[in-house]
Amino acid sequence: MSQVVLVTGASSGIGREIATTLHGHNYKVYGTSRNPERYADLPFTMLQLDLHKSESLKRAVADLVKLEGRIDVVVNNAGAGITGPLEETPMAESKKAFDTNFFGPMELINTVLPVMRAQNSGCIINISSIAGYMGLPFRGIYSATKSALEIITEAYRIELAPYNIRICSVAPGDFATNIAAGRYHAPVIPGSPYAQTYGQTLALIDSHVDHAPSPEPMAKKILEIIRDSSPRPHYAVGTWLQKFSIVLKALLPQKVYERMLRNHYKL
């Protein structure tokens, strides 16, 4: 019997690659989007889900249980980028980013947990970011949302251990996706003390995405984790340097690591 998998944010980018790969390995895949009717050409079924609306979350889970009778795997992939100087980023946009990248995924987890507990099985994979391991300049809000998702995964693991529900996080580096197009950019304000440094950092961030590899390695890692009966708490997928940056963060004195980041971003 094929396992039933729910992949949020499956209309494009990493989510689409994950959903397509799992479908190709005979999983019963359901993706989500706020406008699923736009993606009728995808090889898997799309459900309507808006992470900002509790009723939408509950309806999507209920519809899936009604269709399949179970949910074996949830890949919490939907998310949004945000850039800007912390001082100049509108608070409403910062809160919106947390709703999308943290509170929405958390609410989805809480909605599927009764289903998985009744099954006495389940696997939840939270897609975080290597950016969540460090406070990146002009991406501080994004780093904070993904860091929060990493930490809460650890807490869930301990709470859910008695119920045979596996949960872990996977932190991608830069992959070729459309995240830059959908990202909220605080405007570069002429005369702002950050105008030059933010402008040059924004250009560097976008160039990293433009020259990034395909998200195929992320899909392969998700498939590997689903098949693992005892996954690790955290995984990182990216270039050698991106993954090594996490190791350096743990080993180097904080001021030394901070100086490395400043040199990298020419700040």
Side-chain angles (χ1 to χ4, degrees), residues 108-124:
L108 180 58
I109 292 171
N110 292 345
T111 304
V112 301
L113 282 181
V115 178
M116 291 183 170
R117 197 160 41 242
Q119 298 168 178
N120 193 38
S121 68
C123 178
I124 299 168

Side-chain angles (χ1 to χ4, degrees), residues 75-105:
V75 182
N76 247 328
N77 166 77
I82 179 171
T83 64
L86 291 169
E87 182 181 354
E88 296 177 354
T89 302
M91 196 57 65
E93 293 296 337
S94 298
K95 292 178 179 179
K96 184 179 178 181
F98 267 94
D99 283 341
T100 303
N101 295 350
F102 178 70
F103 289 113

Side-chain angles (χ1 to χ4, degrees), residues 169-202:
S169 68
V170 181
D174 290 322
F175 287 102
T177 70
N178 64 348
I179 189 171
R183 180 192 293 139
Y184 171 79
H185 297 288
V188 180
I189 302 172
S192 162
Y194 306 104
Q196 180 179 349
T197 52
Y198 174 41
Q200 71 187 29
T201 301
L202 195 55

Side-chain angles (χ1 to χ4, degrees), residues 146-198:
K146 294 300 187 176
S147 179
L149 191 59
E150 290 271 346
I151 292 300
I152 208 167
T153 298
E154 296 179 1
Y156 269 122
R157 281 176 65 89
I158 299 169
E159 294 179 9
L160 298 177
Y163 307 108
N164 197 33
I165 299 173
R166 297 166 289 150
I167 183 167
C168 67
S169 68
V170 181
D174 290 322
F175 287 102
T177 70
N178 64 348
I179 189 171
R183 180 192 293 139
Y184 171 79
H185 297 288
V188 180
I189 302 172
S192 162
Y194 306 104
Q196 180 179 349
T197 52
Y198 174 41

